[in-house]
Amino acid sequence: MTLTQSGSAAQSRPSVDHLLDAPLPQLLAELDVELVDSSITDATFFGALVERRDGSRILSMPVGRSVFERDTAARMLLAEGLGLDAPPVPAPLAVMRG
């Protein structure tokens, strides 16, 4: 999983409970995060959250994954990208900042 931050525009941050409980489409809309399909097919790639200089965010997720896997990876990336005090990403997963 990858996080890339280019800008520092302040955007609202949900509570961890809301991040974990809200339906993902609703959460993405509230955070103004655009979900796009990634062309990366590597089995070890779970997604990337990119913050542009203007503060807008893109969540790039690989296609062909289960709904559970995609939902879980999206929430982990959002928690890390938003700097929420959420439980750490479980091993063997890792979040890299670039």
Side-chain angles (χ1 to χ4, degrees):
M1 288 188 269
T2 307
L3 294 172
T4 304
Q5 293 177 305
S6 303
S8 58
Q11 293 185 358
S12 63
R13 294 179 182 195
S15 68
V16 172
D17 287 342
H18 185 67
L19 179 109
L20 296 175
D21 294 336
L24 188 58
Q26 174 189 327
L27 187 62
L28 295 175
E30 290 171 359
L31 297 171
D32 197 25
V33 174
E34 179 184 358
L35 179 62
V36 298
D37 290 336
S38 173
S39 61
I40 298 173
T41 58
D42 184 329
T44 64
F45 177 74
F46 289 88
L49 178 65
V50 178
E51 184 176 326
R52 296 178 177 150
R53 285 189 175 96
D54 66 3
S56 63
R57 295 183 181 113
I58 296 174
L59 181 60
S60 177
M61 304 291 295
V63 295
R65 304 289 174 93
S66 72
V67 171
F68 175 78
E69 188 174 294
R70 192 170 166 109
D71 185 89
T72 302
R75 292 173 195 277
M76 286 190 289
L77 285 167
L78 288 168
E80 284 288 325
L82 296 171
L84 300 180
D85 188 23
V89 175
L93 299 176
V95 174
M96 299 179 301
R97 293 185 179 267

